[in-house]
Amino acid sequence: MKFDLDTAWKDTTGLLSRNRGLLAVIAGVFFFLPYAALAIALPEMGDLEAAQASGNLDAMMGAINDLYASYWWVYLILAIVQGIGLLAMLALVRRRANPTVGQALSTGVKSVPTYIAAQLLQTALFAIVAGLLIGVGAVTGLPALAVLGGVIAFVVVCYIVTKLSLAAPVIAIDGELNPIRALQRSWALTRGNSIRLFFFYLLLLAAFVVLSIVISLVLGLAFAIAGEQAALLGEAVISGLLNAIMIVVIVCVLAAVHTQLGRLSDNPDATTED
């Protein structure tokens, strides 16, 4: 049986409905507060937002490089904290033993080294694949081949991202603490359903982008009316809020997809109906 988008969305909304209170608390502590505090504490974040608003790619990349060069250690801490929160939420919504919040957080702390290692391995794989595909076109000196290589690299990276998207739930829910085996398990679970899964993710991403734009415009205008300082504070609050909402939805989506594909993997003849 193939991956069913409708079943996955129903499972996602069911997880959101049953766990929204606990998920909101964890997302608030591990995502909203750190992200909003970072946006307020680092004045360079304003430069990055200005560069993004200008649409100047060179200015945006320069602002990103300056930010990470100056505060790499802050982002390392943030990555660890948010990794713990993500894994804890996954464990909370899908562990068969119905863990308490404390047990879920313990799972997050225990699993975060594996999660970070898996992320680093993915990043290295993306860099190698993209570098090879783009480099081959660039070496020829033909702009058309360089552009074609870039397009192919983008498609291949999207494919790999989809194939490895279930590494986090494999780590948090299945308890796999070997990063290589977690990536292998994700690859195996998505076999035969990669294209369907990609478009499911793409539809959700498009919906979230539209929703975030609307929320940012409405709330941003409300804060802007109160003055410049209120507008700066509002940007930080809105960014943190959208980040927390996105993570909560991602957690439920990944848990639902992992459960459905796990069921199909264990029993290929099973239906996707509840």
Side-chain angles (χ1 to χ4, degrees):
M1 295 295 294
K2 292 295 185 181
F3 172 72
D4 186 80
L5 279 68
D6 184 58
T7 298
W9 180 243
K10 288 179 180 177
D11 290 345
T12 298
T13 55
L15 290 174
L16 280 169
S17 176
R18 292 192 298 272
N19 301 281
R20 60 179 178 271
L22 293 176
L23 290 176
V25 171
I26 296 176
V29 172
F30 285 88
F31 291 92
F32 171 72
L33 291 178
Y35 195 89
L38 190 66
I40 293 171
L42 299 185
E44 288 82 357
M45 289 290 288
D47 297 335
L48 176 58
E49 292 173 358
Q52 290 174 330
S54 69
N56 187 322
L57 182 60
D58 291 336
M60 185 171 66
M61 292 306 298
I64 292 174
N65 290 334
D66 291 342
L67 194 61
Y68 280 97
S70 300
Y71 299 103
W72 62 268
W73 57 275
V74 175
Y75 285 95
L76 176 60
I77 294 173
L78 185 65
I80 294 172
V81 169
Q82 294 191 339
I84 292 172
L86 174 68
L87 296 168
M89 287 191 286
L90 283 167
L92 188 67
V93 299
R94 272 307 189 196
R95 276 289 177 104
R96 290 185 177 87
N98 296 320
T100 63
V101 173
Q103 291 171 331
L105 291 175
S106 177
T107 297
V109 172
K110 181 178 67 175
S111 305
V112 75
T114 303
Y115 173 72
I116 292 176
Q119 292 295 306
L120 291 174
L121 288 172
Q122 289 183 64
T123 301
L125 180 60
F126 300 154
I128 292 170
V129 170
L132 287 175
L133 291 174
I134 295 174
V136 169
V139 166
T140 64
L142 298 175
L145 286 180
V147 171
L148 179 61
V151 172
I152 295 174
F154 177 76
V155 173
V156 173
V157 168
C158 286
Y159 175 77
I160 296 174
V161 168
T162 302
K163 295 292 293 180
L164 301 181
S165 61
L166 299 182
V170 168
I171 293 168
I173 299 173
D174 295 344
E176 178 57 70
L177 296 181
N178 183 307
I180 295 177
R181 285 203 294 264
L183 295 174
Q184 290 173 334
R185 175 61 175 165
S186 176
W187 194 281
L189 284 173
T190 56
R191 183 180 296 120
N193 292 289
S194 303
I195 295 177
R196 286 171 173 260
L197 194 55
F198 170 75
F199 282 106
F200 180 60
Y201 291 154
L202 185 62
L203 287 172
L204 293 176
L205 177 62
F208 181 80
V209 168
V210 172
L211 182 62
S212 64
I213 290 173
V214 172
I215 293 175
S216 296
L217 288 174
V218 174
L219 295 182
L221 179 60
F223 279 107
I225 293 174
E228 183 178 352
Q229 292 299 319
L232 293 174
L233 176 62
E235 289 179 3
V237 171
I238 294 168
S239 297
L241 178 62
L242 290 174
N243 185 49
I245 292 173
M246 179 181 68
I247 290 299
V248 168
V249 175
I250 286 174
V251 163
C252 293
V253 167
L254 291 179
V257 171
H258 172 267
T259 298
Q260 184 182 154
L261 293 183
R263 185 165 61 239
L264 294 177
S265 176
D266 295 337
N267 184 8
D269 297 325
T271 66
T272 57
E273 297 177 355
D274 289 336

